[in-house]
């Protein structure tokens, strides 16, 4: 009996060791990369190839069925299987798939550091030579580069952080849409006096707070000028300007719904879409959500605030995701054909029209008047979403530290100064100013 | 001749026992699939976490061997140490909270059901019912019930005139952790009642009769007889609650998200581990740190469980 036990343990240990030898350390750029382009992996002529595509947008499934059908019509030998996952679980699922080195061909990539880290780990194919990629504006391609400056993703859409407002509620109460910080405060006070929630802000998910900060805080810290100084090391996140932007967040709290730190974004959306709240701050992607929730809702969009009366109202933008090719794919040529399609104006137009989003592809004119408005504002004055575009690294990321600290400020655990200090301390660990 | 007879008898016996041992070995062979599953899904992950915790990570890639550096960073470097000790503190509160709000209540309920009352089965069923739901469903339901805007609890409190009691249960750092503990206790109450009930029903009725004849009061019987004799079930539930409290994750994740808000007021070691290991797209350097935390958590739970077992067993022998 003892001997059998020893044999069983030996077999078990051998299987463990076998599994360990295939651990992630050997996967990237190594064996999996090697299999990626072996001739045996090429399909025989006329054989249909299936590409598996991951996304974090289950809500776009219907639209993608249409996009993919258009692609499959152009490439009858390629079938694309769209597999969306819950956004909050996507990172883990993607990491596991890439580590395993199989199962996915096309991956949706988080922008900026999200793409860079995966590209640097050797899990993606460079796409610089894919037709159409180089026509995409450089600033957008920057969201999908590796540290080697090669492009690893076709940028998908441009998101803008905006203030959605209900023009009917404003008109009924004799109010004008605010353009500056002072005007915003006055409007909020007037709305509150009428029993209307001025801003439907949720705080349970802390990321919503940094979006709001980007909209109302940009004019406080001085927009692109400050961003440039920050990137070159001349300014820090503890500077008075940046603290002022945090102070604005604190001053705005009385105009958010009661106990907003305990409510979900969905609750905030309901407050706005039912007309109980006059404003709602989030990404422009919520436009489609509201139009689905309440097609009769009077809705308009405001960009960030101007520094002073008559000044520019900047719009806060960022590239929201890109599509790349997993290096371990057995069908790199077919995957590149799909990338070419994603980089085409045809896809960009379909994407913008069907999902009411701003496409990253040059030459696409949005059909939706509000998306058109966002596009025009972007052409006029654009500031990147500071935390996402430039401070998305670290463990936890500086962006996360900032968001959580804002949450800490709202529940009375942190002061404005401490929020700035904690954020700077996080950035200080990894951020290297550009010389 | 007698010698030959003896030797053939020995031979017979030996071959018989060999056949017997082969049968025994065959039985072990049937254990192989289960053992492989166990090794693959239990032993291997633990083993690989141990291994990964000794390496530095470059994105998703395991790079160089760094010995105990991940462990040192976890306990000495900001913000890891703050997260670790805050999470650990919350785990301890979680355990104490569960003992007070689940085990004590469950024991009282079990005593109540074990007494000669009508409708025992009905009570058992009602108390056990929450356990039939998934933790995630429970988390979701309570998020709705506790919603400060339209949640049933605050609406009810306002309705009965206790408006000043209405509060953002999950949105305030003063109440969030305790609220989650209470939901956890509500969910697991039925299981604890069943275990205690089994323990109480195993106590022979005669000893109570004897104690009554000797003039023992109800409270004396409870303290001197029921509690000590139900000690094995109390031991099992305390150890299970300890393990549960230190590996709690799903309910917090469902109710407060992976950030265990507001501002980490419900953060425990498991939610911290989740963020550390899987919080960023590529895992970053944090896979090594996350593995180190998983190892620490494993060692903490297993050693504390062993100590608790030792302590309870000694208590049992003493009695």
């Amino acid at each position: 009996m003892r001997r059998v036990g020893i044999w069983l343990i030996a077999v078990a240990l051998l299987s463990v060791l076998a599994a360990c030898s295939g651990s992630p350390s050997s996967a990237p750029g190594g064996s999996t990369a090697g299999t990626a382009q072996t001739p045996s992996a090429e399909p025989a002529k006329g054989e249909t190839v299936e590409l598996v595509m991951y996304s974090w947008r289950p809500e776009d499934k219907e639209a993608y069925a249409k996009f993919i059908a258009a692609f499959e019509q152009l490439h009858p030998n390629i079938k694309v299987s769209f597999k969306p996952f819950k956004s909050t679980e996507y990172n883990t699922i993607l990491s596991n798939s890439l580590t395993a080195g199989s199962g996915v061909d096309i991956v949706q990539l988080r922008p900026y550091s999200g793409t860079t880290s995966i590209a640097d780990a050797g899990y993606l194919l460079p796409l610089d030579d894919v037709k159409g990629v180089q026509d995409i504006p450089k600033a957008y391609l920057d969201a999908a580069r590796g540290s080697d400056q090669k492009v690893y993703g076709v940028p998908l859409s441009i998101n803008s952080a905006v203030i959605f407002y209900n023009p009917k509620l404003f008109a009924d109460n004799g109010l004008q849409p605010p353009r500056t910080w002072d005007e915003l405060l006055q409007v909020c006070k007037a709305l509150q006096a009428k029993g209307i929630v001025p801003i439907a802000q949720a705080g349970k998910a802390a990321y919503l707070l940094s979006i709001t900060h980007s909209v109302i805080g940009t004019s406080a810290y001085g927009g692109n000028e400050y961003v440039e100084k920050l990137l070159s090391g001349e300014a820090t996140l503890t500077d008075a300007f940046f603290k002022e932007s945090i102070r604005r967040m604190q001053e705005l709290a009385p105009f958010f719904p009661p106990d907003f730190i305990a409510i979900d974004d969905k609750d905030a959306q309901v407050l706005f879409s039912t007309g109980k709240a006059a404003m709602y701050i989030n990404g422009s992607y919520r436009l489609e959500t509201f139009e689905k929730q309440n097609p009769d809702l009077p809705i308009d969009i405001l960009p960030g605030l101007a520094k002073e009366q008559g000044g520019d109202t900047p719009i806060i933008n960022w590239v929201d995701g890109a599509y790349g090719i997993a290096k371990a794919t057995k069908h790199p040529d077919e995957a590149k054909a799909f990338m070419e399609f994603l980089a085409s104006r045809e896809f960009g137009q379909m994407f913008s029209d069907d999902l009411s989003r701003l496409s990253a592809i040059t030459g696409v004119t949005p059909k939706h008047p509000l998306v058109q408005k966002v596009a025009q504002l972007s052409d006029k004055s654009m500031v990147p979403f500071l935390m996402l575009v430039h401070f998305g690294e670290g463990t936890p990321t500086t962006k996360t530290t900032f968001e959580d600290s804002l949450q800490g400020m709202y529940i009375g655990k942190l002061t404005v100064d401490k929020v700035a200090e904690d954020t700077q301390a996080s950035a200080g660990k990894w951020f290297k100013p550009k010389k | 001749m007698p010698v030959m007879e003896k030797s053939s008898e020995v031979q017979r016996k030996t071959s018989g026992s060999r056949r017997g041992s082969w049968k025994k070995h065959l039985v072990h062979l049937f254990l192989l699939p289960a053992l492989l599953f166990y090794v693959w899904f239990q032993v291997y992950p633990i083993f690989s976490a141990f291994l990964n915790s000794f390496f530095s990570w470059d994105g998703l890639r395991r790079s160089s061997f760094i010995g105990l550096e991940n462990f040192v960073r976890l306990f000495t470097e900001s913000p890891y140490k703050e997260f670790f000790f805050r999470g650990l503190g919350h785990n301890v509160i979680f355990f104490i909270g569960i003992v007070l709000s689940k085990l004590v209540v469950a024991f009282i309920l079990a005593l109540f059901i074990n007494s000669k009352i009508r409708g025992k089965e009905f009570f058992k069923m009602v108390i056990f019912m929450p356990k039939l739901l998934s933790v995630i469903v429970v988390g979701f339901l309570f998020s709705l019930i506790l919603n400060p805007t339209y949640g049933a609890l605050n609406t009810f409190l306002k309705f009965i005139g206790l408006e000043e009691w209405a509060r953002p249960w999950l949105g305030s750092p003063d109440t969030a952790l305790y609220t989650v503990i209470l939901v956890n206790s509500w969910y697991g109450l039925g299981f604890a009642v069943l275990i205690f009930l089994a323990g109480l029903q195993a106590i022979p009725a005669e000893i109570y009769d004897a104690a009554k004849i000797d003039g023992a009061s109800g409270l004396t019987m409870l303290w001197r007889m029921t509690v000590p004799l139900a000690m094995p079930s109390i031991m099992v539930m305390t150890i299970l609650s300890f393990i549960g409290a230190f590996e709690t994750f799903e309910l917090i994740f469902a109710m407060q998200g992976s950030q265990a808000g507001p501002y980490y007021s419900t953060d425990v070691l498991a939610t911290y581990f989740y963020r550390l290991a899987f919080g960023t797209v590529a895992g970053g350097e944090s896979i090594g740190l996350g593995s180190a935390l998983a190892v620490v958590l494993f060692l903490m739970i297993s050693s504390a469980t062993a100590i608790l077992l030792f302590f309870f067993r000694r208590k049992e022998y003493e009695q």
Side-chain angles (χ1 to χ4, degrees):
Chain A
M1 179 182 164
R2 197 171 283 172
R3 242 182 242 167
V4 172
I6 290 167
W7 274 108
L8 288 180
I9 290 168
V11 168
L13 278 176
L14 273 175
S15 66
V16 168
L17 287 174
C20 290
S21 64
S23 63
S25 60
S26 58
S31 57
T32 40
T35 56
Q37 318 210 8
T38 48
S40 60
E42 292 296 317
K45 260 192 174 171
E47 195 183 314
T48 303
V49 162
E50 189 186 286
L51 299 174
V52 175
M53 174 186 189
Y54 279 8
S55 159
W56 66 72
R57 298 268 307 171
E59 56 270 55
D60 292 351
K61 202 172 178 180
E62 235 170 80
Y64 272 91
K66 188 181 159 188
F67 306 154
I68 287 167
F71 170 76
E72 287 174 351
Q73 222 169 16
L74 296 169
H75 301 271
N77 66 323
I78 309 174
K79 295 269 167 259
V80 181
S81 162
F82 182 73
K83 286 193 178 170
F85 299 98
K86 197 178 168 193
S87 173
T88 48
E89 283 154 24
Y90 182 77
N91 292 1
T92 313
I93 292 166
L94 177 63
S95 292
N96 290 341
S97 286
L98 290 174
T99 312
S102 61
V104 60
D105 305 284
I106 312 287
V107 290
Q108 190 168 13
L109 299 162
R110 302 280 187 192
Y112 309 100
S113 60
T115 300
T116 310
S117 52
I118 294 181
D120 290 358
Y123 286 103
L124 300 173
L125 286 181
L127 305 176
D128 300 77
D129 59 343
V130 169
K131 195 181 155 197
V133 166
Q134 295 305 334
D135 301 333
I136 297 169
K138 187 188 163 295
Y140 298 164
L141 288 179
D142 286 348
R145 287 187 205 274
S147 296
D148 58 5
Q149 292 307 305
K150 286 183 183 168
V151 176
Y152 287 91
V154 177
L156 184 65
S157 65
I158 307 302
N159 280 346
S160 304
V162 294
I163 304 174
F164 289 97
Y165 75 101
N166 183 327
K168 189 174 178 297
L169 272 183
F170 270 67
D172 290 350
N173 292 286
L175 297 167
Q176 288 295 317
R179 287 178 57 88
T180 63
W181 170 240
D182 289 336
E183 282 179 14
L184 179 68
L185 286 182
Q186 282 163 20
V187 161
C188 284
K189 279 176 196 161
L191 286 163
Q192 204 168 42
K194 301 267 183 186
I196 299 163
V197 176
I199 301 170
Q201 177 72 50
K204 195 166 180 179
Y207 80 92
L208 296 162
L209 300 173
S210 75
I211 295 179
T212 300
H213 171 266
S214 73
V215 174
I216 65 150
T218 298
S219 59
Y221 60 68
N224 283 329
E225 203 180 316
Y226 170 77
V227 175
E228 288 306 319
K229 281 185 182 169
L230 202 57
L231 298 181
S232 66
E234 281 175 70
T236 67
L237 293 163
T238 45
D239 284 359
F241 293 133
F242 194 71
K243 282 184 184 171
E244 179 53 32
S245 71
I246 301 169
R247 197 164 292 116
R248 279 191 181 181
M249 289 294 280
Q250 201 175 35
E251 278 179 58
L252 216 52
F255 306 113
F256 294 158
D259 305 320
F260 71 99
I261 284 298
I263 71 168
D264 277 323
D265 187 34
K266 283 221 162 25
D267 301 331
Q269 287 170 27
V270 170
L271 283 174
F272 182 70
S273 63
T274 53
K276 285 181 182 155
M279 288 177 276
Y280 166 85
I281 304 175
N282 205 326
S284 47
Y285 44 79
R286 281 281 171 265
L287 179 60
E288 195 209 356
T289 316
F290 288 130
E291 289 187 334
K292 269 188 185 162
Q293 274 177 9
N294 181 4
D296 301 327
L297 179 73
I299 196 165
D300 205 343
I301 282 175
L302 290 170
L305 304 167
K307 208 166 181 180
E308 64 273 307
Q309 263 311 337
D312 267 347
T313 50
I315 194 151
I316 289 78
N317 279 4
W318 71 95
V319 173
D320 182 34
Y323 279 111
I325 303 175
K327 203 170 187 176
T329 179
K330 288 180 178 153
H331 313 293
D333 293 336
E334 287 77 7
K336 279 192 177 176
F338 189 64
M339 288 294 124
E340 203 178 302
F341 171 72
L342 293 176
S344 69
R345 207 191 316 185
E346 184 198 359
F347 169 76
Q349 194 65 55
M350 275 197 295
F351 175 82
S352 178
D353 293 350
D354 283 39
L355 296 171
S356 300
R357 308 274 298 271
L358 204 56
S359 168
I361 309 301
T362 315
V364 172
T365 315
K367 193 170 69 178
H368 196 294
L370 283 179
V371 184
Q372 262 179 27
K373 183 178 175 180
V374 172
Q376 282 157 8
L377 286 163
S378 299
D379 288 343
K380 216 169 152 196
S381 177
M382 193 168 84
V383 177
F385 181 0
L386 180 64
M387 284 296 152
L388 179 69
V389 175
H390 299 295
F391 289 95
E393 288 178 49
T395 312
T397 66
T398 301
K399 178 177 179 281
T400 304
T401 306
F402 178 60
E403 289 158 350
D404 291 339
S405 302
L406 284 176
Q407 206 182 42
M409 178 182 81
Y410 284 127
I411 59 167
K413 294 261 178 193
L414 302 179
T415 61
V416 169
D417 288 356
K418 187 79 170 89
V419 173
E421 282 159 22
D422 287 357
T423 313
Q424 177 59 40
S426 166
K429 287 191 175 172
W430 61 270
F431 179 73
K432 287 180 185 68
K434 288 174 194 161
K435 295 273 157 64
Chain B
M1 188 70 178
V3 177
M4 275 181 69
E5 267 177 18
K6 206 172 182 180
S7 76
S8 66
E9 199 178 317
V10 169
Q11 254 181 351
R12 254 200 326 273
K13 271 187 183 169
T14 322
S15 66
S17 78
R18 263 191 202 148
R19 268 203 301 274
S21 74
W22 260 112
K23 275 184 187 166
K24 274 185 194 168
H25 291 168
L26 199 69
V27 169
H28 286 116
L29 201 67
F30 287 116
L31 289 176
L32 196 65
L35 184 74
L36 283 177
F37 263 93
Y38 179 75
V39 168
W40 191 250
F41 291 107
Q42 295 275 339
V43 180
Y44 168 60
I46 294 169
F47 183 76
S48 70
F50 263 95
L51 210 64
N52 290 338
S53 67
F54 297 123
F55 286 84
S56 72
W57 285 74
D58 174 16
L60 288 170
R61 264 183 308 196
R62 202 164 68 191
S63 53
S64 50
F65 181 81
I66 52 166
L68 293 173
E69 202 184 304
N70 282 325
F71 293 90
V72 174
R73 289 182 70 193
L74 204 62
F75 293 121
T76 59
E77 197 179 308
S78 259
Y80 308 121
K81 60 175 180 182
E82 286 87 359
F83 276 115
F84 179 84
F85 290 109
R86 177 168 44 197
L88 181 64
H90 289 162
N91 276 121
V92 172
I93 295 173
F94 215 95
F95 174 57
I96 297 169
I98 282 178
V99 169
L100 295 177
S101 65
K102 184 168 83 180
L103 298 198
V104 172
V105 174
F107 196 75
I108 293 167
L109 283 173
L111 284 173
F112 174 68
I113 293 172
N114 196 41
S115 62
K116 285 169 188 153
I117 54 147
R118 287 173 71 187
K120 271 183 197 183
E121 294 306 312
F122 173 75
F123 285 121
K124 255 198 274 184
M125 195 182 73
V126 168
I127 294 167
F128 194 74
M129 224 176 241
K131 197 75 188 168
L132 301 177
L133 297 170
S134 123
V135 190
I136 302 297
V137 172
V138 170
F140 178 69
L141 281 177
F142 272 90
S143 296
L144 295 179
I145 292 169
L146 299 164
N147 186 296
T149 318
Y150 55 79
L153 181 62
N154 281 354
T155 310
F156 174 72
L157 288 172
K158 283 172 195 166
F159 179 72
I160 60 167
L162 291 173
E163 199 161 348
E164 71 275 14
W165 284 38
R167 59 199 65 224
W169 299 98
L170 296 171
S172 160
D174 301 331
T175 51
L177 184 63
Y178 303 108
T179 307
V180 175
I181 291 171
L182 285 176
V183 175
N184 183 294
S185 297
W186 173 81
Y187 175 66
L189 195 68
F191 181 69
V193 169
L194 283 192
I195 297 286
F196 286 144
L197 207 54
L200 292 175
Q201 282 168 354
I203 302 172
E206 296 82 35
I207 59 168
Y208 286 108
D209 296 337
K212 269 181 207 161
I213 293 166
D214 289 343
S217 71
L219 212 63
T220 311
M221 281 196 285
L222 172 71
W223 196 243
R224 293 280 169 90
M225 291 162 61
T226 312
V227 172
L229 288 169
M231 199 44 97
S233 57
I234 295 174
M235 179 186 95
V236 166
M237 274 319 299
T238 309
I239 291 173
L240 286 180
S241 298
F242 177 82
I243 297 170
F246 274 77
E247 60 172 29
T248 186
F249 173 77
E250 300 98 319
L251 196 64
I252 297 174
F253 185 75
M255 293 176 82
Q256 303 292 71
S258 64
Q259 297 299 112
Y263 193 55
Y264 304 113
S265 58
T266 50
D267 198 22
V268 289
L269 289 176
T271 44
Y272 174 40
F273 160 75
Y274 181 82
R275 286 197 312 276
L276 198 53
F278 308 117
T280 50
V281 181
E285 57 176 8
S286 54
I287 291 183
L289 284 165
S291 301
L293 178 57
V295 169
V296 170
L297 205 51
F298 171 76
L299 293 176
M300 261 169 40
I301 294 175
S302 50
S303 53
T305 306
I307 293 167
L308 275 175
L309 266 174
F310 175 75
F311 171 77
F312 277 120
R313 286 227 171 111
R314 216 177 56 176
K315 200 116 182 121
E316 237 180 301
Y317 290 136
E318 277 171 8
Q319 280 153 10

